[in-house]
Structure formats: C-alpha cells, structure tokens
Coordinates of all heavy atoms in Angstrom, one line a residue:
M5 N 4.4 9.5 -15.2 CA 4.3 8.3 -14.4 C 4.4 8.7 -12.9 O 5.3 9.5 -12.6 CB 5.5 7.4 -14.8 CG 5.6 6.2 -13.9 SD 5.3 4.6 -14.7 CE 5.6 3.5 -13.3
A6 N 3.6 8.2 -12.1 CA 3.6 8.6 -10.7 C 4.8 8.0 -9.9 O 5.2 6.8 -10.2 CB 2.3 8.1 -10.0
T7 N 5.4 8.8 -9.1 CA 6.5 8.3 -8.3 C 6.1 8.5 -6.8 O 5.3 9.4 -6.5 CB 7.8 9.0 -8.6 OG1 7.5 10.4 -8.5 CG2 8.3 8.6 -10.0
I8 N 6.7 7.7 -6.0 CA 6.5 7.8 -4.5 C 7.4 8.9 -4.0 O 8.6 8.9 -4.1 CB 6.7 6.4 -3.8 CG1 5.7 5.4 -4.3 CG2 6.7 6.6 -2.3 CD1 6.0 4.0 -3.8
V9 N 6.7 9.8 -3.3 CA 7.5 10.9 -2.7 C 7.8 10.6 -1.2 O 8.9 10.8 -0.7 CB 6.6 12.2 -2.7 CG1 7.4 13.4 -2.0 CG2 6.3 12.6 -4.2
D10 N 6.8 10.0 -0.5 CA 7.0 9.6 0.9 C 6.1 8.3 1.1 O 4.9 8.3 0.9 CB 6.5 10.7 1.8 CG 6.8 10.4 3.2 OD1 7.0 9.2 3.6 OD2 6.7 11.4 4.1
D11 N 6.8 7.2 1.4 CA 6.0 6.0 1.5 C 5.7 5.6 2.9 O 5.3 4.5 3.2 CB 6.8 4.8 0.9 CG 8.0 4.4 1.7 OD1 8.4 5.1 2.7 OD2 8.7 3.4 1.4
H12 N 5.8 6.6 3.8 CA 5.4 6.3 5.2 C 4.7 7.5 5.8 O 5.3 8.2 6.6 CB 6.6 5.8 6.0 CG 6.2 5.2 7.3 ND1 5.7 3.9 7.3 CD2 6.2 5.6 8.5 CE1 5.5 3.5 8.6 NE2 5.7 4.6 9.3
V13 N 3.5 7.8 5.4 CA 2.8 8.9 6.0 C 1.7 8.3 6.9 O 0.8 7.6 6.4 CB 2.1 9.8 4.9 CG1 1.4 11.0 5.4 CG2 3.2 10.2 3.9
M14 N 1.7 8.6 8.2 CA 0.8 8.0 9.1 C -0.2 9.0 9.5 O 0.1 10.1 10.0 CB 1.5 7.4 10.3 CG 2.6 6.4 10.0 SD 1.9 4.9 9.1 CE 0.9 4.1 10.4
V15 N -1.5 8.8 9.1 CA -2.5 9.8 9.4 C -3.6 9.2 10.3 O -3.8 8.0 10.5 CB -3.2 10.2 8.0 CG1 -2.1 10.7 7.0 CG2 -4.1 9.1 7.4
C16 N -4.3 10.2 10.9 CA -5.3 9.8 11.9 C -6.6 9.4 11.2 O -6.8 9.5 10.0 CB -5.6 11.0 12.9 SG -6.3 12.4 12.0
D17 N -7.6 9.0 12.0 CA -8.9 8.5 11.4 C -9.6 9.6 10.6 O -10.1 9.3 9.5 CB -9.8 8.2 12.6 CG -9.4 6.9 13.3 OD1 -8.9 6.0 12.6 OD2 -9.7 6.8 14.5
D18 N -9.5 10.8 11.1 CA -10.2 11.9 10.4 C -9.6 12.2 9.0 O -10.3 12.4 8.1 CB -10.1 13.2 11.2 CG -10.9 13.1 12.5 OD1 -11.7 12.2 12.7 OD2 -10.7 14.1 13.4
C19 N -8.2 12.2 9.0 CA -7.6 12.5 7.7 C -7.9 11.3 6.8 O -8.1 11.5 5.6 CB -6.1 12.6 7.9 SG -5.6 14.2 8.7
L20 N -7.8 10.1 7.3 CA -8.0 8.9 6.4 C -9.4 9.0 5.7 O -9.5 8.8 4.6 CB -7.9 7.6 7.2 CG -8.1 6.4 6.3 CD1 -6.9 6.1 5.5 CD2 -8.6 5.2 7.1
M21 N -10.4 9.4 6.5 CA -11.8 9.5 6.1 C -11.8 10.4 4.8 O -12.5 10.1 3.8 CB -12.6 10.1 7.2 CG -14.1 10.0 7.0 SD -14.9 10.2 8.7 CE -14.3 11.8 9.2
L22 N -11.1 11.6 4.9 CA -11.1 12.5 3.8 C -10.3 12.0 2.6 O -10.6 12.2 1.5 CB -10.6 13.9 4.3 CG -11.7 14.8 4.9 CD1 -11.1 15.9 5.6 CD2 -12.6 15.3 3.8
I23 N -9.1 11.4 3.0 CA -8.2 11.0 1.9 C -8.9 9.8 1.1 O -8.9 9.8 -0.1 CB -6.9 10.5 2.5 CG1 -6.1 11.7 3.0 CG2 -6.0 9.8 1.4 CD1 -5.0 11.3 4.0
A24 N -9.5 8.9 1.9 CA -10.1 7.7 1.2 C -11.4 8.0 0.6 O -11.7 7.6 -0.5 CB -10.3 6.6 2.3
N25 N -12.3 8.8 1.2 CA -13.6 9.0 0.7 C -14.0 10.4 0.4 O -15.1 10.7 0.0 CB -14.6 8.5 1.8 CG -14.3 7.0 2.1 OD1 -14.0 6.2 1.3 ND2 -14.4 6.7 3.4
D26 N -13.1 11.4 0.7 CA -13.4 12.8 0.5 C -14.7 13.1 1.3 O -15.6 13.7 0.8 CB -13.5 13.2 -0.9 CG -13.5 14.7 -1.1 OD1 -12.9 15.3 -0.2 OD2 -14.0 15.2 -2.1
D27 N -14.8 12.6 2.5 CA -16.0 12.6 3.2 C -15.7 12.9 4.7 O -15.0 12.2 5.3 CB -16.7 11.3 3.1 CG -18.0 11.2 4.0 OD1 -18.5 12.2 4.4 OD2 -18.4 10.1 4.3
A28 N -16.3 14.0 5.2 CA -16.0 14.4 6.6 C -17.3 14.3 7.4 O -17.4 14.8 8.6 CB -15.5 15.8 6.7
T29 N -18.3 13.6 6.9 CA -19.6 13.6 7.6 C -19.5 12.8 8.9 O -20.2 13.1 9.9 CB -20.7 12.9 6.8 OG1 -20.2 11.7 6.3 CG2 -21.1 13.8 5.6
G30 N -18.5 11.9 9.0 CA -18.3 11.2 10.3 C -18.0 12.1 11.5 O -18.2 11.7 12.6
L31 N -17.4 13.2 11.2 CA -17.1 14.2 12.3 C -18.3 14.5 13.1 O -18.2 14.8 14.3 CB -16.4 15.4 11.7 CG -15.1 15.3 11.0 CD1 -14.7 16.6 10.3 CD2 -14.0 14.9 12.0
D32 N -19.4 14.6 12.5 CA -20.7 15.0 13.2 C -21.0 14.0 14.3 O -21.7 14.4 15.2 CB -21.9 15.0 12.2 CG -21.7 16.1 11.1 OD1 -20.8 16.9 11.3 OD2 -22.4 16.0 10.1
H33 N -20.5 12.8 14.3 CA -20.8 11.9 15.3 C -20.1 12.2 16.6 O -20.5 11.8 17.7 CB -20.4 10.4 14.9 CG -21.1 9.9 13.8 ND1 -22.5 9.8 13.7 CD2 -20.7 9.5 12.5 CE1 -22.9 9.4 12.5 NE2 -21.8 9.2 11.8
F34 N -19.0 13.0 16.5 CA -18.2 13.3 17.7 C -18.3 14.7 18.1 O -18.0 15.1 19.3 CB -16.7 13.0 17.4 CG -16.5 11.6 16.9 CD1 -16.2 11.4 15.6 CD2 -16.6 10.5 17.8 CE1 -16.0 10.1 15.1 CE2 -16.4 9.2 17.3 CZ -16.1 9.0 16.0
L35 N -18.6 15.6 17.2 CA -18.6 17.0 17.5 C -19.9 17.7 17.2 O -20.7 17.2 16.4 CB -17.5 17.7 16.6 CG -16.1 17.1 16.7 CD1 -15.2 17.6 15.5 CD2 -15.4 17.5 18.0
D36 N -20.1 18.8 17.8 CA -21.3 19.6 17.4 C -21.1 20.2 16.0 O -19.9 20.2 15.5 CB -21.7 20.6 18.4 CG -20.6 21.7 18.6 OD1 -20.2 22.3 17.6 OD2 -20.1 21.8 19.7
E37 N -22.1 20.8 15.4 CA -22.0 21.2 14.1 C -20.9 22.2 13.8 O -20.1 22.1 12.8 CB -23.4 21.8 13.7 CG -23.7 21.6 12.2 CD -25.1 22.1 11.9 OE1 -26.0 21.5 12.6 OE2 -25.3 22.9 11.1
A38 N -20.8 23.2 14.7 CA -19.8 24.3 14.5 C -18.4 23.7 14.6 O -17.5 24.0 13.8 CB -20.0 25.4 15.5
S39 N -18.1 22.8 15.6 CA -16.8 22.2 15.8 C -16.5 21.3 14.6 O -15.3 21.2 14.1 CB -16.8 21.4 17.1 OG -17.2 22.2 18.2
A40 N -17.5 20.6 14.1 CA -17.3 19.7 13.0 C -16.9 20.5 11.8 O -16.0 20.1 11.0 CB -18.5 18.8 12.7
A41 N -17.5 21.6 11.5 CA -17.2 22.4 10.4 C -15.8 23.0 10.5 O -15.1 23.0 9.5 CB -18.2 23.6 10.3
A42 N -15.4 23.4 11.7 CA -14.1 24.0 11.9 C -13.0 22.9 11.7 O -12.0 23.1 11.1 CB -14.0 24.6 13.3
R43 N -13.3 21.7 12.2 CA -12.4 20.6 12.1 C -12.2 20.2 10.6 O -11.2 19.9 10.1 CB -12.9 19.4 12.9 CG -12.1 18.1 12.8 CD -10.7 18.2 13.6 NE -10.0 17.0 13.6 CZ -8.7 16.8 13.3 NH1 -8.0 17.9 13.1 NH2 -8.2 15.6 13.3
E44 N -13.4 20.2 9.9 CA -13.3 19.8 8.5 C -12.5 20.8 7.7 O -11.7 20.4 6.8 CB -14.7 19.8 7.9 CG -14.8 19.3 6.5 CD -16.1 19.1 5.9 OE1 -17.1 19.2 6.6 OE2 -16.2 18.9 4.7
R45 N -12.6 22.1 8.0 CA -11.7 23.1 7.3 C -10.3 22.8 7.6 O -9.4 22.9 6.7 CB -12.1 24.5 7.8 CG -13.2 25.1 6.9 CD -13.3 26.7 7.1 NE -13.4 27.0 8.5 CZ -14.6 27.0 9.2 NH1 -15.7 26.7 8.5 NH2 -14.7 27.4 10.4
E46 N -10.0 22.5 8.9 CA -8.6 22.3 9.3 C -8.0 21.1 8.5 O -6.9 21.1 8.0 CB -8.6 22.0 10.8 CG -7.3 21.8 11.5 CD -7.6 21.5 13.0 OE1 -8.0 22.5 13.7 OE2 -7.4 20.4 13.4
L47 N -8.9 20.0 8.4 CA -8.4 18.8 7.7 C -8.2 19.1 6.2 O -7.2 18.7 5.6 CB -9.5 17.7 7.9 CG -9.6 17.1 9.3 CD1 -10.9 16.3 9.4 CD2 -8.4 16.3 9.6
H48 N -9.1 19.9 5.6 CA -9.0 20.2 4.2 C -7.7 21.0 4.0 O -7.0 20.7 3.0 CB -10.2 21.0 3.7 CG -11.3 20.1 3.2 ND1 -11.2 19.3 2.2 CD2 -12.6 20.0 3.7 CE1 -12.4 18.6 2.0 NE2 -13.2 19.0 3.0
D49 N -7.4 21.9 4.9 CA -6.2 22.7 4.7 C -5.0 21.8 4.9 O -4.0 22.0 4.2 CB -6.2 23.8 5.8 CG -7.2 24.9 5.5 OD1 -7.8 24.9 4.4 OD2 -7.4 25.8 6.4
A50 N -5.0 20.9 5.9 CA -3.9 20.1 6.1 C -3.6 19.1 4.9 O -2.4 19.0 4.5 CB -4.1 19.2 7.4
I51 N -4.6 18.6 4.4 CA -4.5 17.7 3.2 C -4.0 18.5 2.0 O -3.2 18.0 1.3 CB -5.8 16.9 3.0 CG1 -6.0 15.9 4.2 CG2 -5.7 16.2 1.7 CD1 -7.4 15.3 4.2
A52 N -4.6 19.7 1.8 CA -4.2 20.5 0.7 C -2.7 20.9 0.9 O -1.9 20.9 -0.1 CB -5.0 21.8 0.7
A53 N -2.2 21.1 2.1 CA -0.8 21.4 2.3 C 0.1 20.2 2.0 O 1.1 20.3 1.4 CB -0.6 21.9 3.7
A54 N -0.4 19.0 2.4 CA 0.4 17.8 2.2 C 0.4 17.5 0.7 O 1.4 16.9 0.2 CB -0.3 16.6 2.9
Q55 N -0.6 17.9 -0.1 CA -0.7 17.6 -1.5 C -0.2 18.8 -2.4 O -0.5 18.8 -3.6 CB -2.1 17.2 -1.9 CG -2.5 16.0 -1.1 CD -3.9 15.4 -1.5 OE1 -4.1 14.2 -1.6 NE2 -4.8 16.3 -1.8
R56 N 0.5 19.7 -1.8 CA 1.0 20.8 -2.6 C 2.0 20.3 -3.6 O 2.5 19.2 -3.5 CB 1.7 21.9 -1.7 CG 3.0 21.4 -1.0 CD 3.4 22.3 0.1 NE 4.6 21.8 0.7 CZ 4.6 20.9 1.7 NH1 3.4 20.5 2.1 NH2 5.7 20.4 2.3
D57 N 2.3 21.1 -4.6 CA 3.3 20.8 -5.7 C 2.7 19.6 -6.5 O 3.5 18.9 -7.1 CB 4.7 20.4 -5.1 CG 5.3 21.5 -4.3 OD1 5.0 22.7 -4.6 OD2 6.1 21.2 -3.4
G58 N 1.4 19.5 -6.5 CA 0.9 18.4 -7.4 C 1.0 17.0 -6.8 O 0.6 16.0 -7.5
N59 N 1.5 16.9 -5.6 CA 1.5 15.6 -5.0 C 0.1 15.2 -4.5 O -0.7 16.1 -4.3 CB 2.5 15.6 -3.8 CG 3.9 15.8 -4.3 OD1 4.3 15.6 -5.4 ND2 4.8 16.3 -3.3
Y60 N -0.1 13.9 -4.3 CA -1.4 13.5 -3.8 C -1.2 12.3 -2.9 O -0.3 11.5 -3.1 CB -2.4 13.2 -4.9 CG -2.0 12.2 -5.9 CD1 -2.4 10.9 -5.8 CD2 -1.0 12.5 -6.9 CE1 -2.0 9.9 -6.7 CE2 -0.6 11.5 -7.8 CZ -1.1 10.2 -7.7 OH -0.7 9.3 -8.6
L61 N -2.1 12.2 -1.9 CA -2.0 11.1 -0.9 C -3.0 10.0 -1.3 O -4.1 10.3 -1.8 CB -2.5 11.7 0.5 CG -1.5 12.5 1.3 CD1 -2.2 13.2 2.4 CD2 -0.4 11.5 1.9
V62 N -2.5 8.8 -1.2 CA -3.3 7.6 -1.4 C -3.3 6.7 -0.2 O -2.3 6.7 0.5 CB -2.9 6.8 -2.7 CG1 -3.1 7.7 -3.9 CG2 -1.5 6.4 -2.6
V63 N -4.3 6.0 0.0 CA -4.3 5.0 1.1 C -3.3 4.0 0.9 O -3.2 3.5 -0.2 CB -5.7 4.4 1.3 CG1 -5.8 3.4 2.4 CG2 -6.8 5.5 1.6
G64 N -2.5 3.6 1.9 CA -1.4 2.7 1.7 C -1.7 1.3 2.1 O -2.8 0.8 1.8
D65 N -0.8 0.7 2.8 CA -0.9 -0.7 3.2 C -1.4 -0.9 4.6 O -0.8 -0.5 5.6 CB 0.6 -1.2 3.1 CG 0.7 -2.7 3.5 OD1 -0.4 -3.3 3.8 OD2 1.8 -3.2 3.6
S66 N -2.6 -1.5 4.7 CA -3.3 -1.5 6.0 C -2.5 -2.4 7.0 O -2.7 -2.3 8.2 CB -4.7 -2.1 5.8 OG -4.7 -3.3 5.2
D67 N -1.6 -3.3 6.5 CA -0.7 -4.0 7.4 C 0.2 -3.1 8.2 O 0.7 -3.5 9.2 CB 0.1 -5.0 6.6 CG -0.7 -6.2 6.1 OD1 -1.9 -6.4 6.6 OD2 -0.2 -6.9 5.2
Q68 N 0.4 -1.9 7.7 CA 1.3 -1.0 8.4 C 0.6 0.0 9.3 O 1.2 0.9 9.9 CB 2.2 -0.2 7.4 CG 3.1 -1.2 6.6 CD 4.1 -0.3 5.7 OE1 4.8 0.5 6.2 NE2 4.2 -0.7 4.5
N69 N -0.8 -0.2 9.4 CA -1.5 0.7 10.3 C -1.1 0.4 11.7 O -0.7 -0.7 12.0 CB -3.0 0.4 10.1 CG -3.6 0.9 8.8 OD1 -2.8 1.5 8.0 ND2 -4.8 0.6 8.5
E70 N -1.3 1.4 12.5 CA -1.0 1.2 14.0 C -2.4 1.4 14.7 O -3.1 2.4 14.5 CB 0.0 2.3 14.5 CG 1.4 2.1 13.9 CD 2.3 3.2 14.3 OE1 2.2 3.8 15.4 OE2 3.1 3.6 13.5
E71 N -2.7 0.3 15.4 CA -4.0 0.3 16.1 C -4.1 1.5 17.1 O -5.1 2.1 17.3 CB -4.1 -1.0 16.9 CG -4.5 -2.2 16.0 CD -5.8 -2.0 15.3 OE1 -6.8 -1.6 15.9 OE2 -5.8 -2.3 14.1
F72 N -2.9 1.7 17.8 CA -2.9 2.8 18.8 C -1.6 3.5 18.8 O -0.6 2.8 18.9 CB -3.2 2.2 20.2 CG -3.4 3.3 21.2 CD1 -4.6 4.0 21.4 CD2 -2.3 3.7 22.0 CE1 -4.7 5.0 22.3 CE2 -2.4 4.7 22.9 CZ -3.6 5.3 23.1
S73 N -1.6 4.7 18.6 CA -0.3 5.5 18.5 C -0.5 6.8 19.2 O -1.6 7.4 19.2 CB 0.1 5.7 17.1 OG 1.2 6.6 17.0
T74 N 0.6 7.3 19.8 CA 0.5 8.6 20.5 C 1.4 9.6 19.6 O 1.5 10.7 20.0 CB 1.1 8.5 21.9 OG1 2.4 7.9 21.9 CG2 0.2 7.8 22.8
S75 N 1.9 9.1 18.5 CA 2.6 10.1 17.7 C 1.6 10.9 16.9 O 0.5 10.5 16.6 CB 3.6 9.4 16.7 OG 3.4 8.0 16.7
S76 N 2.0 12.1 16.6 CA 1.1 13.1 15.9 C 0.8 12.6 14.5 O 1.6 11.9 13.9 CB 1.7 14.5 15.9 OG 2.9 14.5 15.3
C77 N -0.3 13.0 14.0 CA -0.7 12.7 12.7 C 0.2 13.4 11.7 O 0.5 14.6 11.9 CB -2.2 13.1 12.5 SG -2.7 13.1 10.8
D78 N 0.7 12.7 10.7 CA 1.6 13.3 9.7 C 0.9 14.3 8.8 O 1.5 15.1 8.1 CB 2.2 12.3 8.8 CG 3.2 11.4 9.6 OD1 3.8 11.9 10.6 OD2 3.5 10.3 9.2
C79 N -0.4 14.3 8.9 CA -1.2 15.3 8.0 C -1.7 16.5 8.8 O -1.2 17.6 8.5 CB -2.3 14.5 7.3 SG -3.1 15.5 6.0
C80 N -2.6 16.3 9.7 CA -3.1 17.4 10.4 C -2.4 17.7 11.7 O -2.7 18.7 12.4 CB -4.6 17.2 10.7 SG -4.9 15.9 12.0
Q81 N -1.4 16.9 12.1 CA -0.6 17.1 13.3 C -1.3 17.0 14.6 O -0.8 17.4 15.6 CB 0.1 18.5 13.3 CG 0.7 18.9 11.9 CD 1.7 17.9 11.4 OE1 2.5 17.4 12.2 NE2 1.8 17.8 10.1
T82 N -2.5 16.4 14.6 CA -3.2 16.2 15.8 C -2.4 15.3 16.8 O -1.7 14.4 16.3 CB -4.6 15.6 15.7 OG1 -5.2 15.5 16.9 CG2 -4.6 14.2 15.1
H83 N -2.4 15.6 18.0 CA -1.7 14.8 19.0 C -2.6 13.8 19.7 O -2.2 13.1 20.6 CB -1.0 15.7 20.0 CG 0.2 16.4 19.4 ND1 1.4 15.8 19.1 CD2 0.3 17.7 19.1 CE1 2.2 16.8 18.6 NE2 1.5 17.9 18.5
L84 N -3.9 13.8 19.3 CA -4.8 12.9 19.9 C -4.4 11.5 19.7 O -4.2 11.1 18.5 CB -6.2 13.1 19.3 CG -7.1 14.2 19.9 CD1 -8.4 14.2 19.1 CD2 -7.3 14.0 21.4
A85 N -4.2 10.7 20.7 CA -3.8 9.3 20.6 C -5.0 8.5 19.9 O -6.1 8.8 20.1 CB -3.5 8.7 22.0
G86 N -4.6 7.6 19.1 CA -5.6 6.8 18.4 C -4.9 6.0 17.3 O -3.7 5.9 17.3
S87 N -5.8 5.5 16.4 CA -5.2 4.7 15.4 C -4.5 5.6 14.3 O -5.0 6.7 14.1 CB -6.2 3.8 14.7 OG -7.4 4.5 14.5
R88 N -3.5 5.1 13.7 CA -2.9 5.8 12.6 C -2.9 4.9 11.4 O -2.6 3.7 11.5 CB -1.4 6.2 12.9 CG -1.3 7.2 14.1 CD -1.7 8.6 13.7 NE -1.6 9.5 14.9 CZ -2.5 9.8 15.7 NH1 -3.7 9.2 15.6 NH2 -2.3 10.6 16.7
H89 N -3.2 5.5 10.2 CA -3.3 4.7 9.0 C -2.2 5.0 8.0 O -1.9 6.2 7.8 CB -4.7 5.0 8.4 CG -5.8 4.7 9.3 ND1 -6.5 3.5 9.4 CD2 -6.4 5.6 10.2 CE1 -7.4 3.6 10.4 NE2 -7.4 4.8 10.9
H90 N -1.7 4.0 7.4 CA -0.6 4.1 6.5 C -1.1 4.7 5.2 O -2.0 4.2 4.6 CB 0.1 2.8 6.3 CG 1.2 2.8 5.3 ND1 1.2 2.2 4.1 CD2 2.4 3.4 5.4 CE1 2.4 2.5 3.5 NE2 3.1 3.2 4.3
C91 N -0.5 5.8 4.7 CA -0.7 6.4 3.4 C 0.6 6.6 2.7 O 1.7 6.6 3.3 CB -1.5 7.7 3.6 SG -3.2 7.5 4.1
V92 N 0.5 6.8 1.4 CA 1.6 7.1 0.6 C 1.4 8.4 -0.1 O 0.3 8.6 -0.7 CB 1.8 5.9 -0.4 CG1 3.0 6.2 -1.3 CG2 2.0 4.6 0.3
L93 N 2.5 9.2 -0.2 CA 2.4 10.5 -0.9 C 3.0 10.2 -2.3 O 4.2 9.8 -2.4 CB 3.1 11.6 -0.2 CG 3.0 13.0 -0.8 CD1 1.6 13.5 -0.7 CD2 4.0 13.9 -0.1
M94 N 2.2 10.4 -3.3 CA 2.6 10.2 -4.7 C 2.9 11.5 -5.4 O 2.3 12.5 -5.0 CB 1.6 9.4 -5.5 CG 1.1 8.1 -4.9 SD 2.4 6.9 -4.8 CE 2.6 6.5 -6.6
G95 N 3.8 11.5 -6.3 CA 4.0 12.8 -7.0 C 4.1 12.6 -8.5 O 4.0 11.4 -9.0
Ligands
LIG130 ZN1 -4.9 13.8 10.8

C-alpha cells in the first residue's frame, strides 16, 4: 500500500512536465537543441534522485500551486522564479 513520504514537494514547470507527462519536448520552445538536451538530462537526474528508494512523485493538489515563487524547485533546485506546482512523494 502506498504511503505519503512528503506531501509538500513544490516543483517548477519543467519538472512538472516530466512528472505529469514524462515529456520534455516543451523545453525546445525556450532553449536551443543542445541546451534543451542538457536540461532534460538534468531534470531526469533530479527526478530520479527524488524517486530513489522506490519512492515516486505524483502530481498533487493544484489548489496548493504557487503562481509565482522565488523559492527553489524542490526537485531540480532551480532558482529561476516562476510558478511552483504541488506534488506528493509516495513510497
Ligand atoms: Zn524543477
């Protein structure tokens, strides 16, 4: 039975895209091909690290999203200000 490991993981747009859809193609809209590929690797690594020990991230409660935040992403640690999306780490 799944249990909640961390019920307040706030992630950036990029991480959410991968957590929700396993899709990083949106990165191409902002970055050139090489930068997008590097960023995608970074995101995959960050998410893999967050999901170590068999835990996994799921999209949480959108009511808890922050439209604009300057806190770092809990997943990839980016400091870029922007929206943060609520996720839950299950184990
Ligand atoms: Zn992130």
